[in-house]
């Protein structure tokens, strides 16, 4: 009996040892050996992400200087040229603008002639083809006139224009009324609300050049003006003729005082009328102070 008990204890010890061995194997299979992290505690520098600096717009170095204009929302080259008293082609040339339809808000443009440039005077010259006129809208044009085009802008603040004072004699333009005698004035000059005279008439009535000059724009590129002609008379004065139904001149053409340049209409207007402006160095002035009495 004692021997049996002794053997039982031996077998129990063997079983316990086997169970312990299996438990050790199981636990070792579940717990993988630790892995040494040789980089622990080491701070690695992350590559810096640097945003590209915005590219300065053309002419930015001239912002705020006399004789320069910063483009605003809604501006077009035609609007800027009218408000500065210049030919839009000249402004494009002075600023190396290849595509007159592409100017950017914030871009700074020269709006007075560079030193040493040839003055833009009225002179007889061959008629140049009207190519690359800013925009896309085509006005109603008479058969003898080319189809010119321009995009429609919104009103903008006039450019700062510090062109030299008019030379002697440049104020002595022999102005004439741009319509036949007897046409009534519907609305007079108001610097804020009406930058010229509104003159009554019938559809198709002749619109006449108010003085000798050269056509610097003929098209429909200014909102509120309809089919428009702009004449440059000298380095001081421009005149503008708006709301026409047909145009009879083209850009760069020389015209004479009293010459028929358009027919009266109602383009971009609530009735048939001629809106007539005189601009002195780009600033609207009261035409009634320049036109002869009737």
């Amino acid at each position: 009996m004692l021997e049996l008990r002794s053997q039982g204890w031996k077998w129990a010890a063997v079983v316990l040892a086997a169970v312990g061995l299996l438990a050790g194997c199981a636990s070792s299979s579940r717990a993988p050996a630790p892995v040494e992290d040789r980089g622990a505690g080491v701070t690695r520098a992350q590559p810096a992400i640097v945003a590209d600096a915005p590219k300065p717009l053309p002419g930015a170095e001239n912002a705020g200087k006399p004789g320069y204009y910063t483009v605003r929302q809604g501006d077009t080259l035609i609007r800027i040229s009218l408000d500065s008293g210049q030919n839009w082609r000249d402004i494009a040339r002075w600023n190396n603008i290849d595509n007159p339809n592409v100017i950017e808000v914030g871009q700074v443009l020269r709006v007075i002639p560079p030193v040493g440039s040839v003055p833009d005077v009225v002179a007889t010259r061959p008629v140049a083809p009207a190519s690359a006129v800013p925009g896309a809208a085509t006005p109603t044009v008479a058969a003898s006139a080319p189809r010119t085009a321009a995009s429609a802008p919104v009103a903008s603040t006039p450019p700062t224009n510090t062109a030299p004072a008019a030379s002697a004699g440049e104020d002595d333009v022999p102005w004439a009324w741009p319509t036949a005698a007897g046409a009534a004035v519907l609305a007079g000059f108001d610097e804020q609300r009406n930058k010229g005279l509104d003159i009554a008439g019938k559809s198709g009535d002749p619109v006449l050049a108010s003085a000798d000059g050269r056509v610097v724009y003929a098209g429909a590129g200014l909102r509120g003006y309809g089919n428009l002609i702009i004449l440059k008379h000298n380095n001081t004065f421009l005149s503008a003729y708006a709301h026409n139904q047909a145009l009879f001149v083209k850009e760069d053409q020389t015209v004479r005082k009293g010459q028929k340049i358009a027919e009266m209409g109602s383009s971009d207007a609530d009735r048939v009328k001629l809106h007539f402006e005189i601009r002195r160095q780009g600033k609207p002035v009261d035409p009634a102070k320049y036109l002869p009495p009737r």
Side-chain angles (χ1 to χ4, degrees):
M1 180 66 71
L2 183 59
E3 182 179 355
L4 289 174
R5 287 181 178 178
S6 174
Q7 289 179 352
W9 285 110
K10 288 180 181 180
W11 281 110
V14 170
V15 171
L16 291 173
V19 171
L21 180 61
L22 291 174
C25 292
S27 63
S28 63
S29 64
R30 288 195 302 270
V35 178
E36 181 181 3
D37 184 1
R38 297 182 181 275
V42 178
T43 302
R44 292 183 174 87
Q46 298 296 322
I49 300 175
V50 180
D52 292 336
K55 185 178 179 181
L57 291 172
E61 68 278 6
N62 296 314
K65 293 181 181 179
Y68 290 86
Y69 174 67
T70 301
V71 177
R72 302 179 184 224
Q73 186 69 39
D75 279 342
T76 66
L77 212 55
I78 298 301
R79 166 68 68 178
I80 294 169
S81 68
L82 179 62
D83 288 342
S84 62
Q86 305 292 348
N87 186 336
W88 71 265
R89 293 180 186 272
D90 289 337
I91 294 178
R93 186 177 70 254
W94 298 336
N95 295 279
N96 298 315
I97 296 174
D98 295 325
N99 185 348
N101 294 305
V102 180
I103 56 175
E104 301 179 71
V105 174
Q107 183 176 353
V108 180
L109 301 178
R110 172 184 281 277
V111 293
I112 62 172
V115 176
S117 65
V118 178
D120 183 16
V121 297
V122 175
T124 303
R125 64 181 68 187
V127 174
S131 60
V133 178
T138 304
T140 303
V141 183
S144 61
R147 293 184 179 272
T148 52
S151 59
V154 296
S156 62
T157 303
T160 301
N161 181 17
T162 57
S167 59
E170 288 205 337
D171 275 340
D172 299 329
V173 175
W175 298 98
W177 283 81
T179 56
V185 175
L186 300 171
F189 176 81
D190 183 293
E191 192 168 354
Q192 299 301 321
R193 293 176 295 179
N194 192 38
K195 300 182 184 300
L197 300 179
D198 290 345
I199 305 173
K202 300 186 301 294
S203 181
D205 280 355
V207 174
L208 312 175
S210 191
D212 292 352
R214 182 161 51 84
V215 181
V216 294
Y217 183 71
L222 289 183
R223 182 177 299 170
Y225 283 78
N227 295 333
L228 170 70
I229 292 173
I230 302 173
L231 302 182
K232 185 162 188 173
H233 303 285
N234 53 32
N235 290 328
T236 301
F237 285 104
L238 299 176
S239 60
Y241 310 75
H243 306 310
N244 305 291
Q245 73 172 8
L247 310 181
F248 291 93
V249 293
K250 43 193 168 183
E251 287 190 20
D252 220 26
Q253 179 178 340
T254 299
V255 298
R256 298 303 178 195
K257 176 181 175 181
Q259 179 179 336
K260 181 179 177 179
I261 58 176
E263 286 181 350
M264 196 178 295
S266 58
S267 57
D268 210 359
D270 57 357
R271 58 167 294 170
V272 173
K273 63 183 176 181
L274 172 67
H275 175 75
F276 174 69
E277 294 183 7
I278 295 178
R279 295 202 175 211
R280 188 179 190 279
Q281 295 182 341
K283 181 180 179 181
V285 293
D286 186 356
K289 295 180 179 179
Y290 292 84
L291 296 172
R294 283 185 154 178

